[in-house]
Amino acid sequence: MTDNTATVAQENLAPMLIQVRDLKKSFGQQQVLKGIDLQIPQGSVCVILGGSGMGKSVLLKHLAGLLKPDSGEIIVDGEDLVPMRDKHLQNYRRKIGKVFQEGALFDSMNIFDNVAFPMREHLKVSEEDIRAKVEHKLKLFSLNPAEVNSKYPSELSGGMRKRVALARAVALEPKLLLYDEPTTGLDPITTDQVDQLILHAKSELGVTSVVISHDIASAFHIADQLLFIYKGEIVVRGKREDILNCPHPYVHQFLEKWRQKNQ
Amino acid sequence: MNESAPQEKTASLWRFLAPVVGVGHLSIGFVREFGRVLLFGWATLIQMFRGPYRAKEFFRHMREIGFGTLFIVIFTGFFTGLVFGLQTLIAFRRFGAESLVGPATMLALARELAPVLTGMMVAGRSGSGMATELGTMRVTEQIDALEMMAVSPIHYLVVPRVLAAMLMLPFLCAIFDGAGFVGAYIMGVAREGVDPGIFLAETWYGLDPPDFFEGFIKAVFFGGTIALVSCYKGFNAKGGARGVGLAATEAVVISSVSILVGTYLITELLHPFLYGYIYFDSFPQVGP
Ligand SMILES: Nc1ncnc2c1ncn2[C@@H]1O[C@H](COP(=O)(O)OP(=O)(O)O)[C@@H](O)[C@H]1O
Ligand SMILES: [Mg+2]
């Protein structure tokens, strides 16, 4: 862990959107997070790697305020999430968006209403303004409003659905986007599209992204910072090289398997 | 042989105790589930009084519950009236009391059969629908998405359904009463030859408003129970399509059983009020 201080110090130059200190969480006897320290600069993409059941989703749920830690601090955009109560948390969640694996679009609503939903819930603006905003968000992710507005999620392809999910996630102009395995189960072309969307959200909107992934190639492609979680601990963090040169046996094995598959 | 002997002993002991263990597990499971539904209901009650009020959702579910079950309720009501009229006639004829077939049939319908059977129909149609819809939303993470968008899923999904069901059921129950009356009249007057004047007069004087209120009050409770149980089951569905199917089945079974147990409890609770107090003190006796 000592060799990480250099990268962390370097990133300290940019203002931090997320600061997590010594985050611990147990479910019953099982300690799932064993002291996570994390700093994510504003406007960057952080990718969390690791095998199944290592606590990645649990970490992400803490960032969303869906779970409370046993101990530790989670400071996002200057606010400490840990002592927050329900109402406060709801306000906090308006500042973040989450992109679900399958999109989680409301299948009883058409695309327009899906993207408009968070706006109608939280913004006190007229329907015309909402229409303008929705069309703007759809265009951001290369969707043609005239074409998709009145379609239902089931009528779209997987890649298109993901675009709509992103448009909905950024509907309230969040500062932070969370992605839980956005590409698991997708074909390589759609995976590449999703990577482009993540980078697009960063460059167009200046959003900070935290992405959970299994896919090392795409992680290397999009990440400003990579973390590798093993059994509730961050075993290595940094850039591509830090991961590739990591001596930790599990990381090594993980990379070996990936290399074998790609040859 | 010697080594396996104690194992066989414990095995046979377990086999012997299995029914006890089973009953224990079932009881614990029942109490736990019951408590969870109550907590779910409590959360719904709290959200009910919070804005914004979702009129559009509320009316949509009223329409779905009302129109969705209207036809089967009329159908069931009519045939219940027919067969209950016939059975009552057969019974009453033995005592020479055929003229009372109208009020006897309608009393049973208004107070018991209409709310219970309407409840069963709504549980079968709307309850399973609710559990399926919310269960699908759960397994496709749409409920988590609501939460992430800072919208309370209970406020958005459960409250309008529960309110719509509570309001719609008494109306459906009244329609059941009407259809049942038509059935009973056809059976009594058109087929079995009871004098129409006597049939109508006896029914008019034999029944009182509290008889109908009892049915409507039950219907309100059944509506709330069906919607709450079905939403609860949907909310807790897991494991894909199979889990959703299971949630729908359980929603219907639990709603139906709750209706049958509930109708007994409500009857016991209501009687002192409806017939002891309100009836004798507040409603003037009419008729000869
Ligand atoms: N709500 C929960 N209750 C109990 N255990 C949980 C809960 N959520 C996650 N876990 C456990 O925590 C561990 C890590 O889960 P998770 O973060 O989902 O893994 P992954 O890294 O694959 O996303 C798993 O062993 C899981 O069983
Ligand atoms: Mg996970």
Side-chain angles (χ1 to χ4, degrees), chain A residues 25-28 30-33 48-61 67 180-181 212 214 229:
Chain A
K25 177 73 179 178
S26 302
F27 292 110
Q30 183 195 10
Q31 192 172 20
V32 177
L33 299 179
I48 301 173
L49 288 164
S52 296
M54 296 302 176
K56 303 186 300 293
S57 297
V58 171
L59 176 58
L60 208 69
K61 281 182 184 155
L67 288 173
D180 197 342
E181 306 193 10
I212 291 180
H214 287 307
I229 290 195

Side-chain angles (χ1 to χ4, degrees), chain A residues 244-259:
Chain A
L244 286 174
N245 302 327
C246 177
H248 191 282
Y250 185 79
V251 179
H252 196 74
Q253 197 186 351
F254 201 93
L255 290 170
E256 271 309 306
K257 284 271 179 295
W258 170 63
R259 286 202 189 96

Side-chain angles (χ1 to χ4, degrees), chain A residues 137-144 160 163 197 200:
Chain A
K137 301 293 179 219
L138 289 173
K139 280 178 193 151
L140 263 182
F141 295 102
S142 318
L143 288 161
N144 178 5
M160 297 258 270
R163 285 166 197 272
L197 295 178
H200 196 64

